[in-house]
Structures are given as structure tokens and as C-alpha cells.
Amino acid sequence: MSQSENGRSRREPCEIETSTRTDLRMQLPEIVDDILVTCHDEACFDHIEAESIPSRSAVINILKELRELLFPGYFSEQALDQANLRYEIGRLVDTIHRMLSEQIMASVRHDCRRYDQPCVECMELGLREASRFLKAVPEMRRVLGTDVRAAYQGDPAAVSYDEIVFSYPGIFAITIYRVAHQLYIQEIPVLPRMMMEYAHGVTGIDIHPGARIGESFFIDHGTGVVVGETTVIGRRVRLYQGVTLGALSLPREAVDELRVQKRHPTIEDDVIVYSGATILGGDTIIGARSVIGGNVWITDSVPPDTKVFLESPRLVYK
Amino acid sequence: MSQSENGRSRREPCEIETSTRTDLRMQLPEIVDDILVTCHDEACFDHIEAESIPSRSAVINILKELRELLFPGYFSEQALDQANLRYEIGRLVDTIHRMLSEQIMASVRHDCRRYDQPCVECMELGLREASRFLKAVPEMRRVLGTDVRAAYQGDPAAVSYDEIVFSYPGIFAITIYRVAHQLYIQEIPVLPRMMMEYAHGVTGIDIHPGARIGESFFIDHGTGVVVGETTVIGRRVRLYQGVTLGALSLPREAVDELRVQKRHPTIEDDVIVYSGATILGGDTIIGARSVIGGNVWITDSVPPDTKVFLESPRLVYK
Amino acid sequence: MSQSENGRSRREPCEIETSTRTDLRMQLPEIVDDILVTCHDEACFDHIEAESIPSRSAVINILKELRELLFPGYFSEQALDQANLRYEIGRLVDTIHRMLSEQIMASVRHDCRRYDQPCVECMELGLREASRFLKAVPEMRRVLGTDVRAAYQGDPAAVSYDEIVFSYPGIFAITIYRVAHQLYIQEIPVLPRMMMEYAHGVTGIDIHPGARIGESFFIDHGTGVVVGETTVIGRRVRLYQGVTLGALSLPREAVDELRVQKRHPTIEDDVIVYSGATILGGDTIIGARSVIGGNVWITDSVPPDTKVFLESPRLVYK
């Protein structure tokens, strides 16, 4: 270490007069005061005297435990066998119930507060809704099983189901979507969206928890995929990276009415949408078994059994 | 556990002769020597006998504290009220000033070193620039307030300002951009780019800290958005996922002159650019209130109040 | 704190009768039983009584140490100089050899198990393959040197090699690709794909470890880039964000034969592919020095020295 403590060491500071340092440090109180003033400024956003917020890190922990509950043995440090299976599942259910009921409570209270409503029995509500959620786990596992098989059938590069479960981002995003959508159905505020934004950050796949998506759903690669709030997707649908299922342009005035309408498309069974394709509008229906080519931009319905392509590109020779 | 410690336990190794193991391990010194030789090879990159580098983890911590300072109460574990507000803001300002001045110092020294310049008073410079940065926080908070409101107006799926502040990736990226751009204006090297690459990793939104972006800026979904170094964006502009504001193709020779020129487009007030659109070139100006359709590729200016679309796709019936 | 412990504190729960709480909690055993039943259901996926799985966190640690070994001094907390260089490189080689051999062993055993083969000398195999990998490090460093120089030549916004090495996502992804591809060549299962999915999560760049990629490779911005398993890329090739080098549509029946064929394109030397372009098919060859414009969709070969563009978009005036 001695050599690295010579003039070039990253620990050695340049000279500075103590007085100069003090002068500079003494500016801080004034800076604090300036910021405090703006804290009360209508133009800014703060969360003071406000109700509790669900904790992002708690939500991430819940999702980690849930993945292990939905795919037992894939993500635990400890090997599972018939001897310890019941204890491990029991531990997971208990932990998730405690953590989830707390975050549901926080979300509900935050929302009540926002509408200046009293928070009535929100702790009981938290416990009830957490139990209700856990009762839906077996069905979630079954549906996720169809999604994993769809990935294996859809991707020639897949070598095993195990590889898909523990490394495919599409399965990661769909797993969290199936969880968040269940909480969305239970009308839990805030939490479902936080879960999907976590999945979005990890995978680049942005699915709104409100979207309705059928069995055997496969997203390949996935980066840049966007699935809007009121999208309806049938069974055995396959999407590639960069696909947008979105809303049509909206005049700024109209936004508030739009919040309640169906603004996103309907994709029927067995449709394939290739990378970079964009399908917009609440009345747009892509008929069953149709194939939407890459990078196309669609705002009208497409009948069943149709293929839609871009014009072939222009070639220019140097 | 006993069962899991049987033949199938993940702890049980396969047999191997100690001598074989030793033989294999004894190859390591030779491997080390080979690598050491290449370490001095011109063709390779190393950072030996070099000046300190800003620490990525320190930069991430600074950004965490800054988010709390810019949106007080949203990201702290502890509830804020009028009683503890001053202490919390004071703690944040003090912590950020200490951490930021250290990283500014490291960045400046690293850069001086690169140009073989002596590092003069870089510690004082660090403290001064950190204070200068903190004095800009109130204005940053005001501008970020306009960005949050733009998100609420632009996205029918948004249910509350709170949801936007603590879960929208667009706001996360824009917050870090406003911070990094302030440091860019203060001519701090390295640090601004490190901050944006962190935001890029988290959100998939890649904004160069040198870009100039007006108030009420909204990026929806955001994955794949690229905003180049010399881009100029007006007020109330809205971008969707996969939008590129980039530079035109460049002959490899020309790269060095290009480093100083305006290479990226200008987007005037109230423009909307839909997903996957690409706008290239330093002379390209998108006029006020124009709408650029999804997946279009533009290298020429567009007058104000214009809509630009792709040809509608070809439909083929099976 | 006292104020924050009043009615608004995030710690204060709402009332709930202990009996109600107990009733709700007592539902858990039944929930556990329901989940246990489905655990044995063919339709679901679990990993019980199964062979060990490579640990994702261990893989991430290996990659952290490898980045430091491939670019000495860039990512270590401690400054490197000629005095401590040998010890640091020695420490890295030793640590990586231990960690990597263990994960190779886990991957191989997991795979043997999958095909119901006995695991023969997999520990020795782990040690041997880890040594073989480390012997390839000097060549990897040389090739990565060409990649860093290509980034500097290709990006006018780059201010220094240092900035590229420690902040460019393209270099991060290519570094992990060069590592994962070496393990792929050594026919290590599972591990290479896990490494690339980690890089995919961090950068949005999805390169299959099986792809063959020449020297001086540059990916700018990178989010949304997909490079398929059987892709072949020449020297001095440059890709931009959102580029797909993928496979053509496949009838669901045909998937299994396809697993062994070349399904992805060949990109010859000095080709540039702009953002959002998609090139598909195992017989598709993009000739040397050609330029593929943004957002184009190509399924046929392109001769050398050719430029390919989209039709220019339609302008509509309000």
C-alpha cells in the first residue's frame, strides 16, 4: 500500500486553507433556508404531513418470495425435497401474508388520505386481501405453467424449461404481471403499479397491471414492449421486443374523460406481433391467427387470418 | 435439512483426487504471469498508476439523497412533518455537500491528470461547485414540478401525482437529467455522464447530460429513448418509448471535428413524438406544435403545425 | 420524532379485534395445503428433489471480478500501481478460479441430472474448465481493447477511453458477451445464458452467447438491441439502439428442427446498422461496407457497398 499512498494515491486531498473550508461550509445553513422556502411553494411537490407510502424495498422483497412460492425450488438458496417442502411453502405463505398485508394497508391508507376519507379497518382489510391473494396462488401457478410452455414452444433457442424459468426476462415480467393483476382485480391501489414499474426496470417490459392477458402468453426478448391499461389479449399470443399496444393520440383537454374509457387494442387468440410493431386504439381489434409484421404502425382493426407488412425498403447502390 | 444433505444436496461435491486438484491449482501462477504481461501491452486498457476515479456507488448514493431533497418525503423511510422537516432537509444538504464535493474533486483530478495538468485547489473547487449546485436546487424543484404536472396531463393512466413521483421511470430519468445537466453547466467532467448512464440502466432512457430541455417535459414509458448531446428541446414536449433524437451518419474520418458541432435536432414547443420515431441531424428543426408519427425516420426540418406519418402498411390475406 | 408518532405516523395501525386477526391468520394452513397439492400437479413447474442450480448472485460476483481482471484498475476500490499490481491480479485470478469452477460444476451437474446421466468427475471438470477459461483472458483483453477503440472512433460524444470503459453500456454488454461466449465455446451449459440475461437486465442489450462477433465491435446506446444465437458478425461492425438480428417467423411445428439450424443473419465487415432496423433469417447476408438505414425491415440478402432506406414519410399539413 505504501506506494499507493504517494502523491498519486486517491486518498491524498489537495491543500485547502481551513478558513476557506469553513467559509464554504458556512454557506450551507442559508442554502437549507432557501430550500425550505420552496418546500412550501405550490409549484413544487413534497409529501409532508402525509400518509404512509408503501415501501419500494418491501414490495421487491414480497416479489422475491412470491417467485419462490410460484416456482418452488428455483430461486431458494436451499435445496427443496419432499422432507422440507411443506415447511418451506409454509414459511413463504406466512412471510408473504405478513409483508403483503402491511403494504396493502399502507397503500389503502395512503389512498383514503388522498381523498380525505377516514381509513376504516384498513388493517383488517390488509389481512383479508392478503389471504384472498394467497388463495389465488394455485391458479396463478397453473397459468404460469402455460406461459413457460409457450416460451419453450415459441423460442428455438430455449434448451430447457429450467433455463426459461430462471433466466427469461419475459417470464419474469409475466410472473410479476400475473401477481400485480390479481391485486388490481382486488382493487388495491398503488401497489400493482409499483410492482410493474419494478419489472419494467429489470426487463424493459412495461405492462400495465390493468391489462387482461390470456394463458400461454410469450414475450420474446421483450425490451421496449409496452402493454397499456385497457389492452385485452387472448390465448397463445406471442409478442416480440419493442411491440407497443397503446392508446391513440389524445387532445390535452380530453385526457380526463379518457381515463375511464377503453383506449388500448384487443388482440385475439394465436396472434403473433413482431418486433417494433405498434397497435393503437381502443376500437382496434387484431383478429385471431393474424400476424403483424415488424415495425408496422396500425390504428385500424385487422380481420382474422391476415398478414400485415411494411412496404419493402428501397435499395440504393453506391 | 438431513434429507437435503443426502446424495442430491447441492453441498455434496463429486470425488476428486487431492493430487489432481493440486496440479490444477498450480497452473494459476503461470496464468497470472501471462495476464501481467498483457497488462503492459499497448493494445489493452488498464488504469494503473492512474488518478482516482469517481466511485459509481458514491454517485448512486448522492442521487438517492438528491431525489429525497428534490421531492421531500417521497423516498425517506421516516415520515416528514413540520417538526422534523428542517432537520431532514439540513441533514440532506450537509450529506450531499460532503459526498458531492468529494466526487467532483475526484472527477476534476482524474481529468487534470489525463491532460497532464497539475491539479490546483481541486478540493476547494469541489466544495465551491457542490455549494453552487445546491444553490440551484430550488429552481430544479420548480422545473421538476412542471415535469410532474406534464406527466399527469399527458397520461390518462396516471391516477395521482404521488404515483407519478414515486413510480414513473420518465420522472426518474428527467430528475437525474436535471441534476446531471446542472453539473454539466458547471463543467464538471465524468460525473454527469456517469449519472445519466445510471439512469439509463434503471429506465432504458438514455439522455446525454449536455442536451438542453425545457420545462413541462414528459417521456411516457421511455424504454429505448435516446436524446443526444447537442439536442435542444422546447417547453411542453412529449416523447414516447423508443424515440431517437440523434446524429446523422458520419464518415469515420470526420468524427473528431464533429465532437464540437451541433449534431442533434431542435424540437420546438408543444411537439409530440410518438414511439419509435427517429429524428436526426443538427440542422433538423421540428416546428412548434407538430406531431411526429410512430416509427417515422426524419432527417429534414418539419414546419410548425405539421403531422408526419408512415405510409399505411400493406395488408395480405392468407 | 414525537410529532411524527401522532395520528399520522406511518407506524400507527388501525384498530382490529385480536379475535378477527386470529381468525384471518388461521386460514393460512389451509392455503398452504392447497398450494402443496398444486405443487405436485403436472401442469406446474417446481424444482424439487432436483440437482443444484448455479447461483445468480455468485454469477454476478464472478462478472464483477472479471471486469476488474479484464480492465485492471478501473473498477477496484483500491488504486493499482506497479507495487500492488501482481498481488491484485493474483488475488483476482485465484478468486475467479474458485468461484467459476464451483458454478461450472453446478451447471454441469444440473444438466447431467436433466438427461438422467451420472455426473462423472464434474468437480475436476469445473477446475479444468475454469483454468481453460482464465488462459483465454489475455486474448479477451486484446479483443476488448479493439472494441473500446471502436467506441471512441464511432461516437463523437466520447471524451476519453476511460469514460467509455467505466460508463458505456455497450462496452459492458460486449465485455460480458466475450466472457459468456468463451464459456459457450467450452460447452458449459446454463451459465453463459445466465450471464447474458444479467447484461440484458443492466443494459437492455440482449446478445445470445452463441453469436459469433468479430473485433472492433461497437453498440451505441444499445437499449433494445437483440442478437440471436446463430448470428455471425464480422469486424468493425457498428449497431445502434433497437437493432434486431433475428430469426424468421416459424410455424410452431417446425420449432424443434430449427433448434439446430442457422436461423440468424450474417453481417460482413464494416457494416453499419442504424437504430430500429431489423434483419432476419439464416440465409440473409449483409455485404461488407453496406449501411442499413433506421427502422428498415430486411429478410433478403443485401450486396456489398449498398445503402438501404425506408421510403421517406408522408407529410400532412394541418
Side-chain angles (χ1 to χ4, degrees):
Chain A
M1 272 306 295
S2 57
Q3 264 79 341
S4 81
E5 275 156 18
N6 66 8
R8 270 178 278 68
S9 155
R10 60 190 53 177
R11 273 154 214 71
E12 169 262 355
C14 333
E15 281 80 53
I16 178 168
E17 305 255 331
T18 320
S19 61
T20 323
R21 184 191 181 79
T22 315
D23 296 351
L24 287 164
R25 293 280 302 167
M26 285 316 293
Q27 300 179 354
L28 296 188
E30 192 187 318
I31 290 172
V32 172
D33 291 338
D34 293 348
I35 294 173
L36 280 167
V37 174
T38 61
C39 277
H40 305 296
D41 179 341
E42 273 304 288
C44 297
F45 287 92
D46 58 45
H47 205 264
I48 297 162
E49 303 286 0
E51 196 38 84
S52 63
I53 302 174
S55 148
R56 188 166 186 281
S57 59
V59 168
I60 291 171
N61 287 332
I62 291 169
L63 291 172
K64 288 216 170 77
E65 300 282 42
L66 267 168
R67 270 180 100 199
E68 173 63 9
L69 184 61
L70 292 164
F71 294 105
Y74 278 98
F75 303 103
S76 60
E77 281 311 302
Q78 164 199 28
L80 282 190
D81 57 25
Q82 292 313 333
N84 62 7
L85 180 60
R86 168 173 300 270
Y87 309 134
E88 175 64 2
I89 300 292
R91 182 193 69 74
L92 285 164
V93 167
D94 175 47
T95 314
I96 293 165
H97 189 264
R98 269 191 287 93
M99 295 194 299
L100 184 58
S101 55
E102 207 166 282
Q103 295 307 314
I104 290 173
M105 188 176 76
S107 310
V108 172
R109 293 172 66 194
H110 176 271
D111 233 41
C112 300
R113 173 86 179 199
R114 191 157 61 81
Y115 301 116
D116 294 321
Q117 294 164 0
C119 170
V120 186
E121 299 168 332
C122 57
M123 192 186 203
E124 181 171 338
L125 189 143
L127 292 163
R128 275 194 203 293
E129 293 301 325
S131 301
R132 186 175 157 201
F133 173 85
L134 282 163
K135 285 173 186 160
V137 162
E139 172 62 8
M140 269 185 248
R141 297 195 64 231
R142 188 191 64 74
V143 176
L144 284 167
T146 68
D147 298 325
V148 172
R149 266 183 293 275
Y152 189 76
Q153 282 161 27
D155 179 12
V159 299
S160 73
Y161 288 128
D162 288 350
E163 180 190 52
I164 290 165
V165 173
F166 61 72
S167 82
Y168 273 38
I171 287 299
F172 182 91
I174 293 167
T175 303
I176 295 182
Y177 158 76
R178 302 251 180 239
V179 165
H181 183 64
Q182 174 63 35
L183 293 169
Y184 180 93
I185 290 170
Q186 296 178 222
E187 297 182 319
I188 309 303
V190 191
L191 221 49
R193 184 66 184 262
M194 283 177 80
M195 290 178 165
M196 291 323 296
E197 285 305 344
Y198 168 65
H200 184 190
V202 173
T203 64
I205 298 169
D206 181 1
I207 306 175
H208 194 288
R212 281 161 41 205
I213 303 179
E215 297 184 6
S216 303
F217 182 52
F218 177 41
I219 300 175
D220 203 356
H221 308 297
T223 307
V225 164
V226 172
V227 177
E229 181 175 19
T230 62
T231 307
V232 177
I233 297 178
R235 303 175 163 207
R236 298 173 301 280
V237 167
R238 198 197 305 166
L239 307 182
Y240 287 85
Q241 65 276 13
V243 165
T244 295
L245 308 178
L248 279 164
S249 164
L250 28 110
R252 280 182 166 74
E253 321 61 67
V255 170
D256 286 325
E257 304 91 80
L258 279 163
R259 293 190 198 277
V260 290
Q261 293 174 19
K262 182 172 194 303
R263 307 180 305 278
H264 306 91
T266 297
I267 313 295
E268 295 184 344
D269 295 349
D270 300 297
V271 166
I272 299 178
V273 187
Y274 283 104
S275 59
T278 302
I279 304 171
L280 304 180
D283 303 330
T284 305
I285 299 172
I286 307 301
R289 296 169 304 281
S290 286
V291 175
I292 308 302
N295 291 0
V296 300
W297 179 265
I298 291 180
T299 57
D300 300 307
S301 291
V302 169
D305 301 299
T306 311
K307 291 187 166 162
V308 182
F309 295 112
L310 271 193
E311 297 297 322
S312 33
R314 195 155 39 101
L315 271 63
V316 179
Y317 295 85
K318 280 209 204 92
Chain B
M1 273 302 297
S2 57
Q3 262 81 340
S4 81
E5 273 158 18
N6 67 8
R8 270 179 278 63
S9 152
R10 61 190 54 179
R11 272 155 214 71
E12 169 261 355
C14 333
E15 281 78 54
I16 179 169
E17 305 254 331
T18 320
S19 61
T20 323
R21 184 190 181 80
T22 314
D23 296 349
L24 288 164
R25 295 278 304 165
M26 286 314 294
Q27 301 180 354
L28 296 188
E30 193 187 319
I31 290 172
V32 172
D33 292 337
D34 293 348
I35 294 173
L36 280 167
V37 174
T38 61
C39 277
H40 305 296
D41 179 341
E42 273 304 289
C44 298
F45 286 92
D46 58 46
H47 205 264
I48 296 160
E49 300 287 359
E51 195 40 81
S52 62
I53 301 174
S55 147
R56 188 166 185 284
S57 58
V59 168
I60 292 171
N61 287 332
I62 290 168
L63 291 172
K64 287 215 170 74
E65 300 283 40
L66 267 168
R67 269 181 100 199
E68 173 63 8
L69 184 61
L70 292 164
F71 294 105
Y74 278 98
F75 302 103
S76 59
E77 282 310 303
Q78 162 198 33
L80 282 191
D81 57 27
Q82 292 312 332
N84 62 6
L85 180 60
R86 170 173 299 270
Y87 308 134
E88 175 64 3
I89 300 291
R91 182 192 69 72
L92 285 164
V93 167
D94 175 47
T95 314
I96 293 165
H97 188 264
R98 269 190 287 94
M99 295 194 299
L100 184 57
S101 56
E102 205 166 283
Q103 294 309 313
I104 291 174
M105 188 177 77
S107 310
V108 172
R109 293 173 66 193
H110 177 269
D111 231 42
C112 300
R113 172 84 182 199
R114 192 156 60 81
Y115 300 116
D116 293 322
Q117 295 164 0
C119 170
V120 187
E121 299 165 332
C122 56
M123 191 185 204
E124 181 172 339
L125 189 144
L127 292 161
R128 275 194 203 293
E129 294 300 325
S131 300
R132 186 175 157 202
F133 173 86
L134 283 163
K135 285 173 185 158
V137 162
E139 172 61 7
M140 267 185 249
R141 296 194 64 231
R142 189 190 65 74
V143 175
L144 284 167
T146 68
D147 298 325
V148 172
R149 266 182 294 277
Y152 189 76
Q153 281 161 30
D155 178 12
V159 298
S160 74
Y161 288 128
D162 288 350
E163 180 190 53
I164 290 165
V165 172
F166 60 71
S167 83
Y168 272 39
I171 288 298
F172 182 92
I174 293 166
T175 303
I176 294 181
Y177 158 76
R178 303 253 180 237
V179 165
H181 184 64
Q182 175 61 35
L183 293 169
Y184 180 93
I185 289 170
Q186 295 177 221
E187 298 181 321
I188 309 304
V190 191
L191 221 49
R193 185 66 186 262
M194 283 177 79
M195 290 177 165
M196 289 323 296
E197 285 304 345
Y198 168 65
H200 184 191
V202 173
T203 64
I205 298 169
D206 182 1
I207 306 175
H208 193 289
R212 281 161 41 204
I213 303 179
E215 298 183 6
S216 304
F217 182 50
F218 176 41
I219 301 174
D220 203 355
H221 308 297
T223 306
V225 164
V226 172
V227 178
E229 182 175 18
T230 62
T231 307
V232 177
I233 296 179
R235 302 174 163 207
R236 296 174 303 280
V237 167
R238 198 197 304 166
L239 307 182
Y240 287 84
Q241 65 275 16
V243 165
T244 295
L245 307 178
L248 280 164
S249 166
L250 27 108
R252 279 182 165 73
E253 321 62 69
V255 170
D256 286 326
E257 304 91 79
L258 278 163
R259 293 189 198 279
V260 290
Q261 295 174 18
K262 183 172 194 303
R263 309 180 305 278
H264 305 90
T266 297
I267 313 295
E268 296 183 344
D269 296 349
D270 300 297
V271 166
I272 299 177
V273 187
Y274 282 104
S275 60
T278 302
I279 304 171
L280 304 181
D283 302 330
T284 305
I285 299 172
I286 307 301
R289 295 169 305 281
S290 285
V291 175
I292 308 302
N295 291 0
V296 300
W297 180 263
I298 290 181
T299 57
D300 300 308
S301 292
V302 169
D305 302 300
T306 312
K307 291 188 165 161
V308 183
F309 295 112
L310 270 194
E311 296 298 322
S312 31
R314 193 155 42 103
L315 272 61
V316 179
Y317 295 84
K318 279 211 203 95
Chain C
M1 274 306 295
S2 57
Q3 263 80 342
S4 81
E5 275 159 18
N6 65 8
R8 268 180 278 69
S9 153
R10 60 190 53 177
R11 272 155 214 72
E12 169 262 354
C14 335
E15 281 79 53
I16 179 169
E17 304 256 332
T18 320
S19 62
T20 321
R21 185 192 181 80
T22 315
D23 295 350
L24 287 164
R25 294 280 302 165
M26 285 315 292
Q27 300 179 353
L28 296 189
E30 193 186 319
I31 290 172
V32 171
D33 291 338
D34 293 348
I35 293 174
L36 280 168
V37 174
T38 61
C39 277
H40 304 296
D41 178 341
E42 274 304 290
C44 297
F45 287 92
D46 59 47
H47 205 265
I48 297 162
E49 301 286 359
E51 194 40 83
S52 63
I53 301 174
S55 146
R56 187 166 186 282
S57 59
V59 168
I60 292 171
N61 287 332
I62 290 168
L63 292 171
K64 287 215 170 76
E65 300 281 42
L66 267 168
R67 269 180 100 198
E68 173 63 9
L69 184 62
L70 292 164
F71 294 105
Y74 278 98
F75 303 103
S76 59
E77 281 312 303
Q78 163 200 31
L80 282 191
D81 58 26
Q82 293 311 334
N84 63 5
L85 180 61
R86 169 172 299 271
Y87 308 134
E88 175 64 3
I89 299 291
R91 182 193 69 72
L92 285 164
V93 167
D94 175 47
T95 315
I96 292 165
H97 189 264
R98 269 191 289 93
M99 295 194 299
L100 185 58
S101 55
E102 204 166 286
Q103 294 307 314
I104 290 174
M105 186 176 78
S107 309
V108 172
R109 293 172 65 194
H110 176 270
D111 233 41
C112 300
R113 173 83 181 201
R114 191 157 59 81
Y115 300 116
D116 293 322
Q117 295 163 0
C119 170
V120 186
E121 299 166 332
C122 57
M123 191 186 204
E124 182 171 341
L125 189 143
L127 292 161
R128 274 194 204 293
E129 294 300 325
S131 301
R132 186 176 157 201
F133 173 86
L134 284 162
K135 285 173 185 161
V137 163
E139 172 61 8
M140 267 184 250
R141 295 194 65 231
R142 190 191 64 74
V143 175
L144 284 167
T146 69
D147 297 326
V148 172
R149 266 182 294 277
Y152 189 76
Q153 282 161 30
D155 179 11
V159 299
S160 74
Y161 288 127
D162 288 351
E163 181 190 51
I164 289 165
V165 173
F166 59 72
S167 82
Y168 273 38
I171 288 299
F172 182 92
I174 293 166
T175 303
I176 295 182
Y177 158 76
R178 303 257 180 233
V179 166
H181 183 64
Q182 175 62 34
L183 293 169
Y184 180 94
I185 289 170
Q186 296 178 221
E187 297 182 322
I188 310 303
V190 191
L191 222 48
R193 185 67 185 263
M194 282 176 80
M195 291 178 165
M196 291 322 295
E197 286 304 344
Y198 168 65
H200 184 191
V202 173
T203 64
I205 298 169
D206 181 1
I207 306 175
H208 193 288
R212 282 161 42 203
I213 304 179
E215 297 183 7
S216 303
F217 182 52
F218 176 41
I219 300 174
D220 203 355
H221 308 297
T223 306
V225 164
V226 173
V227 178
E229 181 175 19
T230 62
T231 307
V232 177
I233 296 178
R235 300 174 165 209
R236 298 173 302 280
V237 167
R238 198 197 304 167
L239 307 182
Y240 288 84
Q241 65 275 15
V243 165
T244 294
L245 308 178
L248 279 165
S249 164
L250 28 110
R252 280 181 165 75
E253 318 64 65
V255 169
D256 286 324
E257 305 90 80
L258 279 163
R259 294 190 197 278
V260 291
Q261 294 174 20
K262 183 173 194 303
R263 308 180 306 278
H264 306 91
T266 297
I267 313 294
E268 296 184 345
D269 295 349
D270 300 297
V271 166
I272 299 177
V273 186
Y274 283 104
S275 58
T278 302
I279 303 171
L280 304 181
D283 302 330
T284 305
I285 299 172
I286 306 300
R289 297 169 304 281
S290 286
V291 175
I292 309 302
N295 291 1
V296 298
W297 179 264
I298 291 181
T299 57
D300 300 308
S301 292
V302 169
D305 303 299
T306 312
K307 290 188 165 158
V308 182
F309 295 112
L310 271 193
E311 297 297 322
S312 32
R314 195 155 40 102
L315 271 62
V316 179
Y317 295 84
K318 279 206 205 97

